[in-house]
Amino acid sequence: LVDFKDSTTLDLSNVSFDSDAQMTFDGTSDKINLADAAHLKFPGGSFTIEQVLIVDAISSKQRTFSKGSSSWSRGWHAAIRPTQWEFELSDGVSSPGNSFKIDTTTTVGTNHVAWVIENGATAKLYINGVQAGSTQTITEGIDFATTTSTVGIGAYELGAEYFNGKIPYTKLYNKALTAEEVQNNFNGIRNRFG
């Protein structure tokens, strides 16, 4: 498999596929790692992580998207917990850095999720096209243009906090999507995934 942006070969040897060719993650060892690349850096600090998560079960923290080189090193991570959605940021100095927790029950089943980071200053979470919780202020000094590390999908990139379910759709935008763009994306795919 080759990504659309870089002609980089993606290693899918640690992930399984169901009969509809959707990536499945078993919650114990399945993950995808992507090497660092220029299009994974965000000068100005604006980007959006958009995923469709089909959650099978959740009893502990599970990372859905992660970029960082070791525990609490410089990077950012999206995760779910039974009663929270979480986005973590670390400058590599402070531990644990910023951790935004949106207190809302994580739903087993299909969720369209978008984490929107704007100018490195604010973070918003949208679930199924609607903003969840309030806009969060980022106080951690993250340089999104120079963070160099592996990307993990379905787990921490070094292998921990594995996702249990399917991630049939992941997009990373080099801009902060507007609420209207998030809603339009959700409407465009809402009936495609279970």
Side-chain angles (χ1 to χ4, degrees):
L1 185 64
V2 177
D3 73 14
F4 288 119
K5 191 79 172 162
D6 192 42
S7 73
T8 301
T9 301
L10 306 178
D11 180 4
L12 301 178
S13 60
N14 287 328
V15 69
S16 303
F17 294 87
D18 70 6
S19 60
D20 294 323
Q22 293 183 7
M23 293 181 288
T24 64
F25 298 82
D26 64 9
T28 61
S29 63
D30 289 344
K31 65 182 176 124
I32 297 171
N33 280 350
L34 309 172
D36 190 43
H39 61 274
L40 296 172
K41 297 176 182 4
F42 305 104
S46 293
F47 64 96
T48 301
I49 302 168
E50 183 180 41
Q51 294 182 297
V52 171
L53 306 173
I54 302 173
V55 181
D56 287 345
I58 181 163
S59 59
S60 61
K61 182 177 179 178
Q62 299 175 17
R63 294 190 194 225
T64 63
F65 197 97
S66 186
K67 186 174 188 339
S69 54
S70 64
S71 182
W72 295 116
S73 69
R74 181 175 303 196
W76 36 275
H77 315 276
I80 59 173
R81 296 176 181 264
T83 59
Q84 294 175 325
W85 296 82
E86 183 175 275
F87 193 83
E88 303 166 327
L89 299 159
S90 179
D91 61 3
V93 177
S94 305
S95 178
N98 278 165
S99 184
F100 307 118
K101 296 178 176 144
I102 306 297
D103 292 323
T104 183
T105 302
T106 304
T107 305
V108 171
T110 303
N111 300 274
H112 176 270
V113 179
W115 281 102
V116 178
I117 310 302
E118 189 164 9
N119 300 320
T122 60
K124 297 176 187 174
L125 170 64
Y126 293 85
I127 301 172
N128 298 327
V130 178
Q131 185 173 344
S134 60
T135 300
Q136 304 292 311
T137 301
I138 296 172
T139 58
E140 196 75 18
I142 302 293
D143 182 353
F144 293 104
T146 61
T147 302
T148 57
S149 55
T150 303
V151 169
I153 298 174
Y156 185 56
E157 67 279 357
L158 298 176
E161 299 170 346
Y162 293 98
F163 180 73
N164 188 352
K166 297 175 185 155
I167 305 177
Y169 179 98
T170 296
K171 282 190 172 183
L172 190 59
Y173 296 86
N174 63 355
K175 68 175 197 164
L177 295 182
T178 65
E180 182 180 9
E181 289 172 319
V182 171
Q183 182 68 54
N184 288 341
N185 288 355
F186 169 65
N187 289 338
I189 64 169
R190 69 187 309 166
N191 296 320
R192 281 183 54 192
F193 307 103

